[in-house]
Amino acid sequence: MEPLQRFGKQSIFAYLLLWFIGSLWMMALLGSGSFQGKLLGIDVNLYREYAAFGFAGALGGALYGLRMFHEHYHDLTTQWIYWYLMRPIVCFGSAIITIVLFESGILLLQVGDSMAARISVAFLTGYGYGKFMDKIRALTNTFFNGTGNNGNGAGNGGNGGGQPPK
């Protein structure tokens, strides 16, 4: 029997809805400051903001997953189960990394230093995860393959065979 035949679609929907509502609830809990102390040996106060960014990313990923689930409900096959299960999780981590990259100055974007601005960027990272991964791929190609134009014509994608820039 196909995994999606009996309760598969309902399970995927419930899973994404749980991530969506759970992320909102966790962001509210972290923002309220009512949760103190350690969780699994980690001081919550040190990583409160990063956890909020992660849940904002998971919220965006779950929302996008729910949207795709709605749009492609009748076309859903078992090959997409993994995508739906992993989407909120990878968006959680990607949102945190995005904020770290912005704070480090590696990714440049004119965003305020407010918590709302950073949560918005984290949410957009989760919602637009595919575009985020394209940006990270281009960034790593520039850093590690030398495909960016660094002004001296070096690299594979420089300015055309090592000629001086015009």
Side-chain angles (χ1 to χ4, degrees):
M1 174 179 264
E2 283 284 316
L4 291 175
Q5 294 295 11
R6 187 111 170 111
F7 294 111
K9 290 181 180 180
Q10 294 87 346
S11 298
I12 291 171
F13 177 74
Y15 173 79
L16 291 171
L17 194 60
L18 182 66
W19 265 103
F20 184 80
I21 294 169
S23 294
L24 285 171
W25 184 78
M26 285 301 295
M27 288 172 59
L29 182 67
L30 291 166
S32 71
S34 62
F35 190 74
Q36 302 290 326
K38 291 187 175 192
L39 177 66
L40 301 173
I42 299 170
D43 187 2
V44 175
N45 292 325
L46 293 176
Y47 299 103
R48 177 182 312 277
E49 288 183 1
Y50 290 106
F53 303 145
F55 283 113
L59 177 67
L63 181 62
Y64 188 83
L66 286 166
R67 181 179 150 235
M68 289 295 102
F69 181 81
H70 172 70
E71 287 183 14
H72 301 285
Y73 181 80
H74 294 293
D75 303 324
L76 190 62
T77 62
T78 55
Q79 74 182 24
W80 290 101
I81 292 174
Y82 180 74
W83 185 91
Y84 284 106
L85 295 177
M86 290 304 298
R87 179 76 186 206
I89 297 166
V90 297
C91 292
F92 182 99
S94 297
I96 294 171
I97 293 303
T98 300
I99 298 301
V100 171
L101 290 171
F102 280 128
E103 289 177 349
S104 71
I106 291 175
L107 287 180
L108 301 175
L109 182 67
Q110 295 296 328
V111 178
D113 285 339
S114 72
M115 185 70 164
R118 293 184 290 170
I119 284 179
S120 298
V121 169
F123 171 82
L124 290 173
T125 298
Y127 192 82
Y129 174 75
K131 289 180 179 38
F132 167 77
M133 290 308 295
D134 291 341
K135 183 70 170 177
I136 294 299
R137 188 175 300 112
L139 184 63
T140 55
N141 283 336
T142 299
F143 276 172
F144 302 115
N145 290 338
T147 58
N149 186 356
N150 59 8
N152 65 6
N156 301 338
N159 56 10
Q163 299 296 321
K166 296 179 182 177

